[in-house]
């Protein structure tokens, strides 16, 4: 498998940088096309296996190569896909909807990465143990951290604040911290509430001094947190190539679920989190996210999330989840 990894930063130069990236890639062998794939952390196990255990896959390096491009969250990946600099990437329900309605991005949801269920781990917002913030209403006038502006997690934060009687756009100050920087931002009092996700949540909890304010499950007990999306024009013009990629996402997820010990090693190599920290929660019932066998997408759950965001006024139009479903190219694909 041919792998080169690029780290991109947010800001006004994003579109120009992505466009440059698209044109600056070295030419690959003419008979082996390259798929440009955006990824982030945490929880994209099928991709992590493709990156770190390429010998386990038959197609990559033979029928296609991958150009891996790392991002801090889903919203910048939407911008990259709109700019034509990525073929496929990770997205959440809110970023998918906004990319389609505001950016004109037509895409297919081809595989799932992570979801939540009532008995699973879910991302949460934490406050200092001695904080005066006890309820959502107490966040009025406070600074709240999020991994990246426009993140898929913003949907649940928005709904939580609305339920507490706050105006999410006026009553708090929302700042980017990234997942790795969330704990430090909270402990240094740069934010009053910080978003926590694995493996960073486990590390923060082990140190102590923080408490959960609310979890994603408090707002949407069943959710698709992140899933894989490919541009519609890319899939329609390259159906066999896209299908090969989705087959590998299916295979990657199944291998990840079948070998937890190896998945911990793979995740440690990608995230740089110590394997012993990951081993405490990774793929353990009640302590980690839900992962669907074969990376299958539950379009009914996706529809429920899109409806919820529309009803709350977060997206301006109703969307049909099936419009993002390709009948032949969707996981599980063998």
């Amino acid at each position: 498998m041919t792998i080169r990894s690029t780290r991109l930063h947010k800001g006004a130069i994003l579109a120009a940088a992505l466009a440059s990236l698209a044109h600056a890639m070295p030419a690959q062998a003419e008979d082996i096309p390259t798929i440009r794939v955006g990824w982030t952390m945490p929880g994209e196990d099928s991709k992590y296996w493709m990156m770190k255990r390429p010998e386990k896959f038959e197609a990559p390096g033979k029928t296609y190569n991958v150009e891996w491009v790392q991002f801090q969250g889903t919203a910048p990946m939407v911008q990259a896909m709109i700019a034509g600099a990525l073929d496929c990437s990770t997205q959440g329900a809110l970023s998918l909807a906004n990319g389609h309605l505001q950016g004109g991005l037509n895409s297919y949801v081809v595989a799932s990465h992570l979801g939540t269920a009532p008995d699973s781990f879910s991302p949460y917002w934490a406050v200092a143990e001695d904080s005066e913030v006890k309820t959502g209403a107490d966040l009025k006038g406070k600074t709240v951290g999020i991994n990246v502006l426009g993140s898929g997690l913003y949907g649940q934060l928005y709904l939580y604040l609305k339920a507490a009687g706050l105006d999410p756009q006026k009553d708090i100050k929302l700042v980017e911290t990234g997942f790795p920087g969330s704990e430090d931002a909270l402990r240094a009092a740069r934010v009053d509430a910080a978003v926590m996700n694995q493996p960073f949540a486990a590390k923060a909890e082990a140190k102590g001094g923080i408490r959960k304010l609310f979890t994603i499950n408090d707002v949407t007990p069943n959710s698709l947190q992140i899933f894989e999306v490919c541009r519609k024009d890319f899939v329609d013009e390259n159906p066999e190539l896209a299908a090969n990629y989705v087959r590998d996402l299916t295979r990657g997820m199944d291998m990840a679920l079948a070998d937890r010990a190896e998945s911990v090693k793979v995740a440690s190599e990608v995230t740089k989190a110590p394997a012993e920290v990951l081993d405490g929660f990774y793929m353990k019932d009640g302590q980690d996210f839900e992962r669907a066998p074969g990376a299958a997408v539950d379009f009914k759950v996706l529809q429920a999330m899109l409806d919820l965001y529309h009803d709350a006024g977060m997206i301006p139009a109703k969307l049909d989840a099936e419009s993002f479903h390709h009948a032949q190219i969707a996981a599980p694909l063998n």
Side-chain angles (χ1 to χ4, degrees), residues 125-126 139-147 149 157 161 171-177 190-195 213-214:
W125 268 262
L139 287 174
K140 187 169 184 176
K142 304 296 186 182
T143 300
V144 178
I146 197 165
N147 58 313
L149 297 177
L157 174 62
L161 295 172
D171 288 337
I172 66 164
K173 179 181 180 182
L174 192 65
V175 299
E176 291 184 350
T177 60
R190 294 194 300 274
V191 298
D192 299 291
V195 64
L213 179 62
F214 79 98

Side-chain angles (χ1 to χ4, degrees), residues 93 116 222-224 298-307 321:
T116 63
N222 293 285
S223 71
L224 284 174
D298 190 331
F299 283 90
K300 291 182 179 178
V301 172
L302 177 58
Q303 185 66 64
M305 296 180 72
L306 294 174
D307 290 343

Side-chain angles (χ1 to χ4, degrees), residues 196-221:
M196 293 288 177
N197 208 343
Q198 299 289 33
F200 315 107
K203 173 176 171 288
E205 290 166 8
K207 188 173 181 179
I210 68 169
R211 59 179 167 82
K212 293 180 181 179
L213 179 62
F214 79 98
T215 75
I216 296 305
N217 279 0
D218 295 334
V219 181
T220 51

Side-chain angles (χ1 to χ4, degrees), residues 23-55:
H23 292 292
M25 294 176 187
Q28 304 287 340
E30 289 185 3
D31 58 340
I32 303 181
T34 294
I35 304 176
R36 301 164 299 169
V37 177
W39 67 282
T40 187
M41 295 187 288
E44 299 181 23
D45 297 279
S46 53
K47 290 182 180 178
Y48 300 165
W49 272 74
M50 291 173 70
M51 293 177 192
K52 298 299 183 180
R53 301 295 185 269
E55 70 279 3

Side-chain angles (χ1 to χ4, degrees), residues 64-95:
Y64 72 91
N65 292 312
V66 180
E67 178 76 18
W68 299 107
V69 188
Q70 186 179 2
F71 292 79
Q72 286 290 343
T74 58
M77 283 187 268
V78 172
Q79 297 176 44
M81 292 186 74
I82 292 171
L86 291 177
D87 302 309
C88 303
S89 73
T90 314
Q91 288 186 30
L94 186 59
S95 52

Side-chain angles (χ1 to χ4, degrees), residues 15 28 58 66 73 110 115 123 127 143-144 186 212 230 240 252 255 257 276-277 290 315 326:
Q28 304 287 340
E58 296 179 0
V66 180
V110 298
V127 296
T143 300
V144 178
L186 181 61
K212 293 180 181 179
C230 294
E240 184 176 353
M255 287 191 294
L257 291 173
E276 56 269 24
V277 172
E290 292 281 304
I315 57 176
H326 191 291

Side-chain angles (χ1 to χ4, degrees), residues 141-166:
K142 304 296 186 182
T143 300
V144 178
I146 197 165
N147 58 313
V148 65
L149 297 177
S151 164
L153 291 175
Y154 179 67
Q156 284 92 349
L157 174 62
Y158 182 101
L159 293 169
Y160 176 75
L161 295 172
K162 287 279 286 186
L166 301 185

